[in-house]
Every structure is written in structure tokens, then in C-alpha cells.
Amino acid sequence: MADDSTTTIRATFETREAADLAVEHLVQQHGISRPDIFIQSATDRNSAGSAPSGGDASHDEGARRDAPLAGEIEVSADIAYSQVAAVQRSFRAAGAMRVSSR
């Protein structure tokens, strides 16, 4: 009998760009439905990450200074227990600073 139990996996990222890449990995490589994936600030403050990335970093005058860079971004999803190791590898490949599951 297969183990179909689920667990919540979480990862924190320094930039929104890395968090978005992790979400794409979850959807495209692991078949996780977008409504089952959550992205939020890892702290109680509004944040786009702790470092400029993407459009915030690509201006002629240097990185924008008006982005809310107040902390890390957390991506979490409820996944099948059998997917934990593969999803952890995907999170790390996308640049996760920390990965945990419970």
C-alpha cells in the first residue's frame, strides 16, 4: 500500500525572483497545483525580499531603492510525503537559504 500522506514544506529565499523560480519548479517539475503553493513574507513586514532582483536591480542608475526589502520570502506547499526529497532539491537549486518540512 502506498503512503499518500502529505506534509508541509517551506523554504526561504533572499529575493522574490528566486521564490518565483521555486514556484515554477514546483508546478512544472513536480506537478503541484498553483493553488496549493503559498508565497508570503517570512516576517511580519511587507517585503519583496532582502536583496534587489529582477526589475528592481536592472535600472541604468543601479538598483531601485523604493522596493520594500524588509526580509526574506517564504514559499510553502502541502506535498505528498514521497515528494519531500525531490522538492527539497528543487528549492535548493532555486536558491533557497533554508528548507524545512513538517
Side-chain angles (χ1 to χ4, degrees), residues 34-55:
R34 287 186 192 273
D36 295 330
I37 302 169
F38 304 93
I39 303 171
Q40 64 185 20
S41 174
T43 67
D44 60 351
R45 298 185 66 198
N46 183 26
S47 179
S50 56
S53 67

Side-chain angles (χ1 to χ4, degrees), residues 1-46:
M1 182 172 180
D3 180 7
D4 62 351
S5 62
T6 61
T7 188
T8 300
I9 190 161
R10 288 182 169 78
T12 55
F13 296 89
E14 186 176 35
T15 66
R16 178 61 191 233
E17 181 179 33
D20 288 342
L21 179 62
V23 169
E24 291 307 312
H25 286 192
L26 293 178
V27 171
Q28 295 176 13
Q29 296 175 353
H30 303 288
I32 298 170
S33 179
R34 287 186 192 273
D36 295 330
I37 302 169
F38 304 93
I39 303 171
Q40 64 185 20
S41 174
T43 67
D44 60 351
R45 298 185 66 198
N46 183 26

